Amino acid sequence: MTYLETWRLRAEFARRLSDLYGTEVPAYTTLVDVSQRVNAKVLSERGASAERLGSIGRVTAERHGAIRVGTPAELAQVARIFGALGMSPVGFYDLRDAAPRPIPVVSTAFRPTAAPELAKNPFRVFVSLLVPEDGRFFDADLTRRLHAFLSRRRLFPDELLTLADSAEADGGLDTGRAARFLDLAVAAFALSDEPVDRGWYQELEAVSSVAADIGGVTTTHINHLTPRVLDIDELYREMSRRGVEMIDEIQGPPRWDGPDVLLRQTSFRALAEPRRFRDADGTVGSGELRVRFGEVEARGIALTTAGRNLYDALVAEVDRRQPGSTSPRQDVARQVWSEHMPRTERELAAGDLAFFTYEIDGTRPLDGTAPPAGLSRLLAEGWVVPRPIVYEDFLPRSAAGIFSSNLTSAGAVTDTGGGVHRDAEWMSAAIGRRVQEPGELYEAQRAESLRQVAAGLGLDAIHLPGDELSSVAGGRTAHGGVR
Ligand code: OOG
Ligand code: NI
């Protein structure tokens, strides 16, 4: 191979980061082993249906990472490195008012967006940006000192950024430059042995351990690397059996006998790692920090806005029932889901609750009838078959749960100081690239498949279930139809 095109750079980066993280955090290697064992078992038990949400090749290589940076300029540099790997910012997550604990960051995820790229390698990174200006966490003096500290550090060497720009512009790098780029990129996310200023770190840690992990050190590092597993409950049990202490529960939807949607995640506590510290008198000594951890996830089908609203309503219902219940949250959730969540993919599709691509069902007997223009009838009469679109993004509540389960200090937040406004627009401007809406991407994928189905069936357009209802009610037939 003389040239590494974008997706190969991405796959190679993910593989090398995984090797690095395995040497730094040995429990990660155990997690990957157990994940692969569980995946093999699920595949042998369930056969082809195990691959409905991604081929075993994709799932085995699949990882997400998490990193944390301190300034918009650093975030913009991260975007150039991930741009070289074919990953762009998707989704805006504000964790500053998150339960169970507020975290002083706003986040996005860098990932491939086109389906063929995701199929080749879906590597994604959850990137969090500290908000030192937020007065609920930092007083004016601390904000000023954080800005000064962050402006003095340089996370990524110029050579790395220049190579990244050229890889992005050309869609890859020749082998020699690719090797150099990958060395520099992986090294930029390794844990540094640069001494940590103990007093400064502890001052920030009193506010938030995430703030200390970001603004208390002169470098960044990969915080965790998360494999994907096909049966997260089995993985949870197996890790516990091996003596790895997991957090109390699996975040996200419950295990149940209907379709998996969105994302289920769980993690184990940060491990204390040896780090060097510099004390006020200038002496350098050793110590430990607990900032990194292990996480694993299971992915389900992406939900439409209506599906997401239903999901949020069910989460709220679980919150309402939970306090009076002696059952674990997941059991309460399973009960709530069995009452309200459609039990089949077809019902999710017909109710426009989840995203699918559609194909003409070639096995349908030709009986001379003309195909209807509404998706519900096309489904009910067997004209088309749905194929689920995998949820490629994150859940703010789970992210907050993952952050919080690994904090070393309770932190200090006031509700008196001023919060500063941050949104996807703000973040797009900071990065210099548009932060895309996850829903837009799923919607575009579905629309493209419906265009092809319409063309194949000789229809002008196919109407989504919501539009069929409104047209029955005398509403907007053309509006929202997919042409
Ligand atoms: C990110 C926490 C969120 C996830 O998978 O939801 C996250 C972090 O700890 O930096 O990784
Ligand atoms: Ni994560």
Side-chain angles (χ1 to χ4, degrees):
M1 209 182 308
T2 58
Y3 196 82
L4 268 80
E5 58 186 311
T6 306
W7 82 265
R8 286 199 187 280
L9 286 175
R10 177 168 72 252
E12 193 55 24
F13 177 75
R15 199 182 61 71
R16 289 176 53 167
L17 199 62
S18 181
D19 290 347
L20 168 77
Y21 197 58
T23 64
E24 293 181 339
V25 179
Y28 166 76
T29 308
T30 309
L31 182 65
V32 170
D33 283 350
V34 175
S35 303
Q36 284 173 4
R37 227 178 283 260
V38 168
N39 290 347
K41 182 161 172 251
V42 173
L43 194 64
S44 75
E45 282 168 7
R46 297 189 207 154
S49 77
E51 295 186 280
R52 186 140 178 88
L53 293 166
S55 71
I56 191 70
R58 169 186 156 158
V59 171
T60 303
E62 187 158 347
R63 300 282 185 280
H64 87 246
I67 61 167
R68 304 160 173 184
V69 296
T71 66
E74 289 173 358
L75 182 63
Q77 292 175 351
V78 164
R80 288 159 68 188
I81 297 168
F82 291 142
L85 305 175
M87 298 153 68
S88 35
V90 181
F92 175 80
Y93 308 87
D94 192 338
L95 296 164
R96 292 173 301 160
D97 47 16
R101 259 182 287 190
I103 314 288
V105 299
V106 291
S107 313
T108 185
F110 287 81
R111 66 169 179 87
T113 53
E117 288 296 313
L118 286 161
K120 282 179 192 149
N121 185 293
F123 186 56
R124 50 176 96 69
V125 181
F126 192 87
V127 180
S128 299
L129 170 65
L130 187 69
V131 190
E133 303 79 19
D134 197 311
R136 293 168 299 183
F137 300 89
F138 311 102
D139 65 30
D141 179 50
L142 193 49
T143 300
R144 189 184 51 72
R145 286 183 293 133
L146 259 173
H147 279 155
F149 182 91
L150 292 167
S151 71
R152 279 195 304 270
R153 74 180 188 182
R154 209 40 222 252
L155 299 182
F156 308 108
D158 285 333
E159 187 188 359
L160 168 60
L161 296 170
T162 308
L163 283 168
D165 292 344
S166 112
E168 185 170 9
D170 301 343
L173 288 172
D174 61 58
T175 7
R177 295 169 82 218
R180 180 73 184 147
F181 168 73
L182 290 166
D183 282 347
L184 291 170
V186 172
F189 298 108
L191 199 64
S192 158
D193 63 0
E194 185 71 20
V196 177
D197 180 331
R198 200 190 299 269
W200 175 232
Y201 193 94
Q202 285 173 348
E203 184 180 357
L204 290 171
E205 198 176 23
V207 175
S208 151
S209 26
V210 175
D213 183 39
I214 300 173
V217 293
T218 53
T219 54
T220 188
H221 44 254
I222 178 91
N223 175 274
H224 61 266
L225 207 55
T226 301
R228 178 170 163 195
V229 75
L230 296 172
D231 185 342
I232 197 168
D233 303 272
E234 173 64 21
L235 180 126
Y236 188 99
R237 283 189 297 270
E238 181 56 28
M239 291 297 283
S240 307
R241 257 198 300 275
R242 289 177 184 226
V244 178
E245 193 188 329
M246 308 297 284
I247 61 170
D248 292 347
E249 54 185 22
I250 294 170
Q251 312 270 334
R255 181 188 193 87
W256 77 313
D257 54 7
D260 285 328
V261 301
L262 298 174
L263 177 63
R264 304 181 69 209
Q265 298 180 311
T266 191
S267 66
F268 52 85
R269 273 303 307 269
L271 310 159
E273 295 178 294
R275 295 278 275 270
R276 297 201 303 146
F277 285 89
R278 182 179 296 107
D279 284 303
D281 62 6
T283 55
V284 172
S286 56
E288 296 192 318
L289 283 183
R290 257 184 168 228
V291 285
R292 310 207 290 176
F293 56 93
E295 184 196 36
V296 64
E297 67 190 13
R299 291 191 169 262
I301 311 173
L303 296 183
T304 61
T305 305
R308 187 55 188 260
N309 290 342
L310 174 61
Y311 175 76
D312 290 342
L314 298 193
V315 170
E317 177 60 20
V318 176
D319 287 344
R320 252 193 306 277
R321 287 191 203 177
Q322 171 73 24
S325 164
T326 52
S327 317
R329 185 179 169 90
Q330 288 273 314
D331 293 354
V332 177
R334 190 173 312 111
Q335 178 59 34
V336 170
W337 281 53
S338 66
E339 291 164 25
H340 300 284
M341 191 53 108
R343 213 169 272 280
T344 64
E345 286 185 6
R346 278 175 177 272
E347 285 170 273
L348 284 174
D352 192 25
L353 294 169
F355 284 110
F356 297 84
T357 56
Y358 295 88
E359 277 165 32
I360 296 173
D361 187 348
T363 64
R364 186 183 191 278
L366 294 170
D367 55 8
T369 53
L375 182 57
S376 315
R377 280 189 55 202
L378 286 170
L379 273 165
E381 295 168 19
W383 293 90
V384 295
V385 282
R387 188 182 298 278
I389 299 180
V390 182
Y391 188 61
E392 304 285 354
D393 296 286
F394 291 85
L395 295 174
R397 181 168 171 142
S398 302
I402 298 287
F403 265 116
S404 311
S405 61
N406 290 285
L407 299 181
T408 46
S409 83
V413 189
T414 62
D415 48 16
T416 49
V420 282
H421 182 73
R422 294 286 182 268
D423 59 14
E425 261 66 43
W426 181 89
M427 195 175 251
S428 301
I431 300 178
R433 303 171 188 230
R434 194 168 89 84
V435 175
Q436 287 174 279
E437 260 288 321
E440 275 173 29
L441 296 168
Y442 303 123
E443 181 62 64
Q445 213 183 324
R446 170 171 72 178
E448 177 53 32
S449 83
L450 286 177
R451 260 190 295 273
Q452 284 174 22
V453 168
L457 293 176
L459 294 164
D460 287 347
I462 293 173
H463 300 287
L464 296 173
D467 295 305
E468 289 162 36
L469 290 179
S470 58
S471 72
V472 171
R476 12 145 233 160
T477 33
H479 184 83
V482 178
R483 279 167 206 290

